Amino acid sequence: MASLAPPRLTILDTSKPHSFAVPVKKINEAHDVQTFLSSRAYHDIMTFLLQLNIAMFPRYTTDSNGSSRDIQVWELDCPRTPFSETVKRLRKLLDELEKTLDEVPPDSGPRRFGNASFRKWSEVVASQATALLQQHLPADLLARHSATEASAASEIESYFLGAFGSSQRLDYGTGHELSFLAFLGCIWKLGGFERTSSGEEERGIVLGIIEPYLLLVRKLIKTYTLEPAGSHGVWGLDDHSFVPYIFGSAQYAPAINGAGEIPLEGSRHGSPNPADVVKAVTVARERKRNMYFGAIGFIYDVKKGPFWEHSPILYDISGVPAGWAKINKGMIKMYNAEVLSKFPVVQHFRFGSLFSWDQDPTPSPLPIFIQNSKPLSQVRSPKTSILSNIPRQEASLPPTSAPWVTQLPTKALPVSGTAAPWASRQPVTEAPVISARKMVPRPVQNTLIGNQHLATQDNENSGTENTMAPPRRVP
């Protein structure tokens, strides 16, 4: 358990004049990323992310006598999560955007890349953005006095329009997700959200705004077949999103008494095993409750083939033995290294007055595990995989077949290369290695999730993991 002062994004003092600025591009070369990592914008982004993350941890509750210690959890569509007026308004804003999808149907006919109708949808949203924000945001927030010609509305609208993919490249990725996080951060800094001490408003933001936003984005991706933006391919965590893995792992972490006590290991009692990401029954059940499994479920909706082949990083992470709290810590560290520290992702982020390019003269310290994070490329090579030590004729099998289908190995597959960046190596004997004897398949039945067939055992425990899966790169 780590005792950390809960980070909170500073709200601007309304009694003092503020000079708003239309956000502009600042990251033009790779070396500009280092400047960004010491800027006020970077620190504010990480502070806001940590603030939302801490709020999603389960909490201990006590009765009036202080004797009963129940655990309160925060699941999707949780009736115990109240929504403030601003959260309700932004939910309606997202509903309005979803309705515009019906106005711009995708062009018919097969296409290799994104559907060109997405450009028309983006034009519709851009033409309505000012009116939508005026309708669904507090009037006093948008009317905030500025010492310059730019207004609060101009800053907010810039991040809003950058949050739904690129109409030029017909893609969507974590950089657009970052823009939406900044959009919400702008509203927070301007005092648009209610101030609570128990994380109630932050939970409303995550469950009431960010989750519906992710659902809308997934619908955009499927409707207009948007390409992944800046994807690492199978060597990235996810083609499109990152924050649901952070908040979703926090939902499963051990309960805390307050925001200052953050567990670094363990899982909440009753939470699914991380390895259950390959179990059809568990994924279908938990995606309705949890943001992590919601993102996993979407992967199955849009990808075919074994999970460990198209999502090896997530597959490796599912073998972490230290529980969901360890995964949560690692996801934040990975977000810092693989999103905020990568030029292809942050090059399109824009800087104004609310998320400023100015250097932070007195930055408050971030958690040490974030400061010491390394990019994924420094931890493993994209050219190294679980196939790297398999003879060429086996490695060249069709991608939907396990590499050892035609010839069972006599020992566990060599371990190399795809471990999660926070993995601390342990002896291979502690990993759930599958022996050659156990790899003889038993009768199975196919379970369908979206486009993905998962092999499950033909008995009452139909959610059991496919025994043909390779060993995980367990930390």
Side-chain angles (χ1 to χ4, degrees):
M1 187 81 69
S3 295
L4 301 172
R8 292 183 69 84
L9 190 60
T10 303
I11 298 175
L12 297 181
D13 187 350
T14 57
S15 64
K16 297 180 180 179
H18 183 79
S19 298
F20 291 100
V22 177
V24 295
K25 178 179 170 65
K26 292 287 189 179
I27 303 177
N28 300 303
E29 304 290 344
H31 61 78
D32 292 333
V33 175
Q34 291 303 317
T35 305
F36 164 62
L37 294 177
S38 58
S39 69
R40 294 180 184 270
Y42 165 77
H43 191 271
D44 286 348
I45 290 167
M46 284 304 306
T47 298
F48 192 48
L49 182 69
L50 292 172
Q51 178 180 341
L52 299 177
N53 178 66
I54 292 173
M56 294 307 298
F57 276 70
R59 300 294 177 101
Y60 284 114
T61 61
T62 58
D63 56 20
S64 57
N65 298 325
S67 57
S68 175
R69 284 171 61 86
D70 296 328
I71 294 178
Q72 190 167 5
V73 299
W74 323 106
E75 297 181 340
L76 302 181
D77 297 325
C78 177
R80 294 186 298 274
T81 304
F83 295 149
S84 67
E85 185 61 30
T86 301
V87 172
K88 292 177 181 178
R89 287 186 175 190
L90 290 174
R91 287 170 63 85
K92 292 180 180 179
L93 169 60
L94 294 172
D95 289 340
E96 291 291 329
L97 293 178
E98 185 172 2
K99 292 177 182 178
T100 60
L101 286 170
D102 298 330
E103 302 175 14
V104 188
D107 293 342
S108 60
R111 281 174 171 78
R112 168 63 181 87
F113 300 103
N115 196 291
S117 287
F118 178 65
R119 294 192 176 100
K120 301 177 185 177
W121 183 86
S122 298
E123 291 173 358
V124 171
V125 173
S127 65
Q128 300 177 359
T130 301
L132 287 172
L133 293 177
Q134 289 176 348
Q135 179 182 355
H136 297 287
L137 286 178
D140 58 341
L141 183 146
L142 298 177
R144 176 79 181 267
H145 176 70
S146 175
T148 62
E149 294 182 359
S151 63
S154 62
E155 287 209 35
I156 295 174
E157 185 173 325
S158 176
Y159 294 115
F160 173 74
L161 291 176
F164 301 98
S166 170
S167 59
Q168 178 183 5
R169 298 182 301 275
L170 302 179
D171 62 13
Y172 174 89
T174 50
H176 304 107
E177 181 186 69
L178 173 62
S179 188
F180 190 76
L181 190 66
F183 165 69
L184 297 177
C186 288
I187 299 173
W188 180 277
K189 295 187 77 170
L190 292 172
F193 292 108
E194 292 185 2
R195 306 184 189 187
T196 60
S197 58
S198 60
E200 186 175 281
E201 186 72 349
E202 287 89 339
R203 284 188 288 275
I205 293 173
V206 173
L207 297 177
I209 304 175
I210 294 180
E211 175 62 15
Y213 161 76
L214 293 171
L215 295 178
L216 171 60
V217 163
R218 291 164 190 165
K219 190 170 183 179
L220 285 172
I221 293 170
K222 295 175 72 173
T223 301
Y224 299 114
T225 58
L226 299 183
E227 293 288 307
S231 172
H232 293 284
V234 298
W235 302 114
L237 181 75
D238 186 292
D239 281 347
H240 302 103
S241 299
F242 205 113
V243 296
Y245 298 101
I246 296 176
F247 302 138
S249 56
Q251 288 176 282
Y252 287 141
I256 60 177
N257 289 312
E261 299 178 355
I262 307 301
L264 301 181
E265 293 186 350
S267 299
R268 170 174 56 83
H269 178 71
S271 62
N273 192 302
D276 290 349
V277 294
V278 296
K279 296 181 181 179
V281 173
T282 305
V283 173
R285 181 188 68 239
E286 294 297 319
R287 70 183 300 180
K288 302 174 184 177
R289 308 174 180 174
N290 177 267
M291 297 180 72
Y292 191 105
F293 274 84
I296 294 292
F298 181 68
I299 290 177
Y300 284 125
D301 290 342
V302 298
K303 290 190 176 184
K304 298 180 180 180
F307 186 80
W308 54 87
E309 287 189 357
H310 59 61
S311 303
I313 301 300
L314 283 168
Y315 180 73
D316 290 340
I317 291 171
S318 72
V320 171
W324 288 105
K326 177 69 175 291
I327 292 176
N328 179 257
K329 181 185 75 171
M331 285 295 178
I332 296 174
K333 182 177 179 181
M334 191 175 180
Y335 186 83
N336 181 66
E338 293 299 312
V339 176
L340 298 183
S341 300
K342 287 300 178 69
F343 174 74
V345 178
V346 298
Q347 63 173 321
H348 301 295
F349 190 82
R350 296 179 178 273
F351 301 84
S353 68
L354 298 176
F355 286 93
S356 173
W357 180 252
D358 295 341
Q359 299 300 287
D360 195 348
T362 57
S364 55
L366 294 172
I368 190 67
F369 65 82
I370 296 176
Q371 299 174 30
N372 293 341
S373 59
K374 295 181 179 180
L376 201 60
S377 58
Q378 296 181 18
V379 181
R380 52 97 183 115
S381 169
K383 298 181 180 179
T384 307
S385 73
I386 58 174
L387 304 179
S388 59
N389 293 310
I390 299 177
R392 182 178 300 273
Q393 64 269 24
E394 294 185 27
S396 62
L397 290 174
T400 54
S401 300
W404 50 83
V405 169
T406 57
Q407 180 180 353
L408 293 177
T410 57
K411 59 182 179 180
L413 292 177
V415 176
S416 64
T418 60
W422 59 86
S424 55
R425 301 292 186 186
Q426 292 185 10
V428 176
T429 54
E430 297 184 11
V433 178
I434 303 170
S435 67
R437 179 178 60 83
K438 292 183 179 180
M439 290 171 65
V440 178
R442 288 176 283 178
V444 299
Q445 61 183 8
N446 283 332
T447 302
L448 181 65
I449 299 183
N451 296 326
Q452 170 71 51
H453 286 279
L454 293 182
T456 54
Q457 295 184 15
D458 191 12
N459 55 30
E460 68 275 12
N461 298 319
S462 61
T464 305
E465 181 180 342
N466 182 1
T467 56
M468 295 298 291
R472 290 178 177 84
R473 302 302 312 282
V474 183

